[in-house]
Amino acid sequence: MLRFLDAGESHGKALVAILEGVPSNIKINVDNINYELSRRQKGYGRGNRMKIEKDRVEIWSGLRGGFTTGNPITLVIFNKDYDNWQNTILDEPEDTEKIGIARPGHGDFVGFMKYKTGDIRNTIERTSARETAIRTAVGAICKEVLQFLHIDIRSRVKSIGHIIDKEVDIFDDTIYRVIEESELRVFDKEVESKAKKEIDKLTLEGDTIGGRVKVEVKGLPIGIGSYSHYDRKLDGILAQGIMSIQGIKALEFGNIIDSSMIGSSFHDEMYLNNDRVYRNTNNSGGIDAGISNGNNIAITAYMKPIPTVRKNLKTINLITKQNTTTRYERSDVCAVVPVSIVIENIVAFEILKEVLKVYPCDEFNTLLKYIEEDRK
């Protein structure tokens, strides 16, 4: 079974993960993992933290000669900012100034109330989206394995706030190259210009902005997932993975939100051609009854505005028990671009995990053989 456990704090010494269940005999290029990490650090509207960090992964176990051995893979990303924060992180809590002002929309309040450590700093260190760096590294390994299985995952930014990009085919390499070169990962240059101006305006105003991300999976065989039990449904599994990302508040599979809600116009009609089933639409997002149906898996994720704003929102000091206004801690203005990369890699982990449940193999060439036979 594919699984991982990660650990580490935002300003701690390192982020660490142990990934178990990757089949043996797969060539892993660490440069590809670092490429995914670099994609996550980009994007118009990012804060100063990304000027400090230059994320690079170290693999401490599970590879020999660049090939997976079937043993657990240990991944480590060192935090460069730890050098600036180690006194705060290592000092006894009573030796540092405790944080009591909770930012509305952040995990500050609930973490303080649940764990009762008396200092929001402990919550900040783990709720931070910095944790997604190590999850991206885990997903990057899974993404590489999926590519060997001819399963491709791509994403784009669908909107920044209410500024919406045009619909395009992200599996058209020419189109996707334009998206990858865009600072906002959009296709339309006019949309990019408008969105940049909006981000600049909100930066000056001390505010933040969210948006939507579209992710698609191409090449997934029919039959991944199951309707037999609630916790085996593919859409439920993918939803849990994506919703676990900081800031994601809603998901759409396929094209339900803006549809007519009329059955005869919504459902994807099927046609048989040379013993293969085709559909001209993908309103269900490639999943029926919790099982992949052969179409692209298509998901739109909605990210809320980042809760750390410089504007004076009303809040509470949980230590002094007084009404006050929010505090500011270094943050992004817009993180829709990096979250699109995080989503790609988290989806890669979840997809590979489900593929290995249908095709349980400890060795890669056997896995590839089984999948290719089913595709015939």
Side-chain angles (χ1 to χ4, degrees), residues 201-236:
K201 173 176 169 289
L202 292 170
T203 301
L204 293 174
E205 294 174 356
D207 222 325
T208 59
I209 190 169
R212 286 179 285 175
V213 170
K214 180 75 170 287
V215 61
E216 293 191 55
V217 183
K218 182 179 181 180
L220 191 64
I222 298 170
I224 304 302
S226 175
Y227 54 70
S228 294
H229 297 283
Y230 72 92
D231 59 343
R232 293 181 60 195
K233 290 176 178 283
L234 182 60
D235 41 2

Side-chain angles (χ1 to χ4, degrees), residues 48-59:
N48 289 328
R49 178 73 186 267
M50 292 304 100
K51 296 177 182 178
I52 298 171
E53 303 294 348
K54 177 74 172 176
D55 288 340
R56 307 281 296 179
V57 72
E58 292 186 13
I59 297 184

Side-chain angles (χ1 to χ4, degrees), residues 91-98:
D91 283 351
E92 295 295 326
E94 57 267 21
D95 295 334
T96 59
E97 183 179 353
K98 292 181 174 62

